[in-house]
Amino acid sequence: MSQHTDTTYKPTSPNSKLDFASVWEYAPAPESASHAEIKEKYDLFIGGKFVKPAEGNYFKSMNPATGETITEFAEASKSDVNKAVKAARKAFEGEWSSISAKERGKYLYRIARMIQERAREFSVLESMDGGKPIRESRDVDVPLVAAHFFYYAGWADKLEYAFPGKKPKPLGVCGQIIPWNFPLLMLAWKIAPALACGNTVVLKPAETTSLTALKFAELVKDAGLPDGVVNIVTGAGETGAEIVNHKDIDKIAFTGSTGVGKLIQRSLAGTDKKFTLELGGKGAMIVFEDAPIDQAVEGIINAIFFNQGHVCCAGSRLLVQEGVAEKVIQKLKDRMESLIVGDPLDKNTDVGAINSQAQFETINKYLEIGLNEGADVYQSSCSIPDNGYFVRPTLLMNVSQSNRVVQEEIFGPVLTIQTFRTADEAIQKANNTPYGLAGGVWTDKGSKIFKVGSGLRSGVVWANTYNKFDPTSPFGGYKESGVGREGGMHGLGAYLKF
Ligand code: NAP
Ligand code: MG
């Protein structure tokens, strides 16, 4: 594979007033991968068994930090998807609906506990297949996965209390399609509520990050879940489209890009399938002059640079009040210098590998666009590995509202910075994109939090923090960021009919 260092932008001026290089010298602390078993090839998981794809095709999955192929996944064709839907239908009409809600809950509790037991293996595999730092997969993704299964396990036999006076019933077979940025967590967001409500599922993970979904299939087998309740079909976009267009599916739950979400919505028009769409975002973080500045800077670093900015609700735009702009930007630059970019399996790593070559190219294309639009590009001066796909934490300053880098989702460690004078101006700028997934506000005043919180057209608004998740809290977007909510009780309603 070619080296990428030449295509990323290097800072032209001294980066920081502080010499972090001498302060932050960490010895490598790689997480051991010896306990993580990766097969040479993974088949499809249909009807409780691993089965070969009908057309016999497999595709490679690489570790984006090294460029090496780590395994191969089966490519599910139309007939494989059909087989998976039949298995899910059989389970829905058979064994799964004949067991009590309490027993259903027990299966989910068992899955949650088994995820905790295998947490280290799941974390290592997630980082190897997707490129995210082990600290993220170990401390954020996998614990949240278990938390989702625990949370929805508790609801399984209490659905009538969640919806008093109604008789909730499962929808049937659910087709679920997920992206590559939180592979196992997005699986949990989809599978846990669906099963708690008594549905069965056919899930397609993203092409570049299917490994933990297939490990999850092994876990489902070990948990003794009745055959066909969970089916995992790997493949590319075409496999996803086969699920969307299958006639015997009752609901589509999709998380991914707005472009594909629009295609799916078009295909579903005129059918009686239910659907939820969780799509892209361009989150704004609004920092007022009275904000606790150090806390805000730490929140911003977390919101955009950790997990390489591969977060749908990432805070990818900073709106900072004029009086503190210079101070905030300098502190951001100083903190950026201390970020370690590199081996996702190293416990010291803050920013891991970009998930794929395609995404790496997309991010660099946007940096080019930013330069052409007149942005001042600033990058931390850290070293990055020669192989694999890495992008230095980047600021795009001197941008305006109509710039593409301000309007479009970049999905990388790139933060645009604009200033504002009044709360109304901040709200107006924050709302002025096609998206409305998440936003944040930093201020000392509760009144400003309420004003901004009610002014933002955004599914989530965090105050004096960012990217905090909890299974009890609903999540979803306004405008082109999606339709419907996942998480919490809202997430249950999306898998029930009344
Ligand atoms: P994507 O390209 O839309 O892909 C998402 C999933 O859909 C993948 O499994 C993909 O398969 C599949 N797919 C592609 N084309 C399809 C089609 N025509 N019909 C059915 N399925 C199809 O998105 P991505 O690049 O993987 O993920 C990044 C996007 O997800 C970002 O926009 C991000 O904001 C969004 N996201 C949103 C949320 C949220 O909760 N709102 C959460 C996470 C991510 P392949 O992998 O084979 O292409
Ligand atoms: Mg991969």
Side-chain angles (χ1 to χ4, degrees):
M1 188 172 43
S2 63
Q3 298 201 345
H4 307 290
T5 34
D6 291 340
T7 51
T8 59
Y9 300 90
K10 297 197 183 75
T12 50
S13 58
N15 269 325
S16 165
K17 290 176 180 162
L18 303 176
D19 178 13
F20 279 104
S22 58
V23 183
W24 301 101
E25 279 292 340
Y26 283 102
E31 172 75 46
S32 165
S34 59
H35 60 288
E37 191 213 340
I38 305 180
K39 293 187 185 139
E40 264 176 40
K41 226 183 218 185
Y42 284 88
D43 290 323
L44 307 168
F45 185 66
I46 297 177
K49 292 179 194 63
F50 284 96
V51 297
K52 299 213 173 306
E55 292 176 7
N57 296 331
Y58 291 82
F59 60 95
K60 291 182 168 54
S61 188
M62 64 146 188
N63 177 342
T66 61
E68 286 159 11
T69 298
I70 53 173
T71 187
E72 289 186 14
F73 302 121
E75 192 176 321
S77 60
K78 186 175 182 152
S79 72
D80 297 311
V81 169
N82 201 18
K83 205 159 140 191
V85 174
K86 277 198 176 134
R89 178 63 61 194
K90 190 169 163 214
F92 177 71
E93 285 170 1
E95 200 176 347
W96 193 233
S97 54
S98 68
I99 68 169
S100 69
K102 196 168 152 198
E103 287 300 312
R104 250 181 12 236
K106 280 192 196 167
Y107 279 113
L108 292 177
Y109 278 122
R110 192 180 299 164
I111 290 172
R113 283 195 305 271
M114 288 170 74
I115 285 166
Q116 288 182 319
E117 283 160 18
R118 300 182 192 181
R120 264 188 71 198
E121 187 179 15
F122 273 113
S123 310
V124 166
L125 295 176
E126 197 74 311
S127 286
M128 287 176 78
D129 200 20
K132 66 170 61 194
I134 187 74
R135 220 180 52 202
E136 290 276 311
S137 33
R138 182 197 61 196
D139 298 347
V140 181
D141 294 51
V142 176
L144 276 173
V145 170
H148 269 84
F149 278 99
F150 276 122
Y151 173 74
Y152 282 111
W155 275 121
D157 61 350
K158 302 175 195 70
L159 297 175
E160 291 183 20
Y161 299 95
F163 304 98
K166 295 186 176 171
K167 290 253 171 275
K169 293 204 173 49
L171 296 172
V173 176
C174 303
Q176 308 182 315
I177 300 164
I178 57 174
W180 46 259
N181 58 342
F182 288 89
L184 194 62
L185 184 56
M186 289 299 111
L187 172 149
W189 279 30
K190 301 271 180 284
I191 293 184
L195 265 49
C197 294
N199 302 283
T200 58
V201 306
V202 175
L203 177 134
K204 189 196 98 67
E207 222 173 317
T208 55
T209 54
S210 300
L211 185 53
T212 46
L214 292 157
K215 277 278 160 185
F216 179 81
E218 290 175 358
L219 184 149
V220 157
K221 236 171 145 299
D222 295 346
L225 197 71
D227 293 349
V229 174
V230 168
N231 304 276
I232 312 267
V233 289
T234 44
E238 293 75 28
T239 306
E242 293 297 348
I243 294 176
V244 171
N245 295 321
H246 198 287
K247 295 222 166 16
D248 198 29
I249 285 185
D250 302 292
K251 164 172 178 150
I252 294 294
F254 171 80
T255 298
S257 60
T258 294
V260 174
K262 284 181 180 176
L263 278 177
I264 291 179
Q265 204 169 4
R266 247 175 251 144
S267 317
L268 294 178
T271 73
D272 59 0
K273 287 187 187 115
K274 273 201 158 199
F275 62 90
T276 44
L277 304 173
E278 298 280 0
L279 310 175
K282 192 74 183 172
M285 300 178 288
I286 299 172
V287 177
F288 284 97
E289 278 166 4
D290 59 9
I293 298 294
D294 289 333
Q295 197 179 322
V297 167
E298 204 47 41
I300 293 162
I301 294 282
N302 178 321
I304 184 65
F305 297 135
F306 290 176
N307 207 26
Q308 304 76 252
H310 292 344
V311 185
C312 53
C313 51
S316 49
R317 292 183 291 148
L318 171 62
L319 299 172
V320 56
Q321 202 160 15
E322 263 182 17
V324 287
E326 206 178 315
K327 184 174 171 189
V328 168
I329 291 169
Q330 187 56 51
K331 278 180 180 270
L332 265 177
K333 289 178 177 174
D334 289 344
R335 181 67 176 91
M336 282 162 73
E337 281 305 294
S338 71
L339 294 177
I340 299 172
V341 183
D343 180 6
L345 283 183
D346 192 314
K347 290 169 214 157
N348 296 323
T349 295
D350 298 300
V351 184
I354 301 304
N355 181 262
S356 63
Q357 181 171 356
Q359 188 56 28
F360 176 81
E361 285 165 6
T362 300
I363 296 167
N364 279 295
K365 182 194 81 184
Y366 273 109
L367 294 183
E368 202 84 56
I369 291 170
L371 272 180
N372 291 335
E373 286 177 325
D376 295 333
V377 180
Y378 176 91
Q379 293 195 306
S380 63
S381 61
C382 60
S383 64
I384 54 176
D386 291 338
N387 292 316
Y389 303 102
F390 294 90
V391 173
R392 292 185 177 83
T394 305
L395 304 179
L396 296 180
M397 295 166 292
N398 202 16
V399 292
S400 61
Q401 194 68 36
S402 60
N403 286 167
R404 284 184 63 190
V405 289
V406 172
Q407 292 290 324
E408 299 174 19
E409 189 180 38
I410 300 174
F411 225 56
V414 181
L415 177 70
T416 63
I417 303 184
Q418 295 168 272
T419 57
F420 69 89
R421 287 183 182 171
T422 65
D424 285 331
E425 184 189 348
I427 292 168
Q428 196 271 333
K429 283 182 166 162
N431 284 337
N432 187 351
T433 77
Y435 297 107
L437 194 55
V441 52
W442 274 271
T443 170
D444 195 32
K445 299 275 182 301
S447 54
K448 285 186 192 161
I449 292 174
F450 283 121
K451 181 173 171 74
V452 171
S454 48
L456 290 187
R457 295 256 301 139
S458 167
V460 181
V461 181
W462 285 287
N464 293 325
T465 187
Y466 207 88
N467 273 351
K468 290 279 178 283
F469 290 97
D470 191 282
T472 61
S473 173
F475 185 88
Y478 280 79
K479 301 192 280 184
E480 295 197 12
S481 287
V483 180
R485 295 290 178 264
E486 291 185 322
M489 275 169 51
H490 296 67
L492 283 176
Y495 283 99
L496 291 167
K497 59 186 174 195
F498 301 97

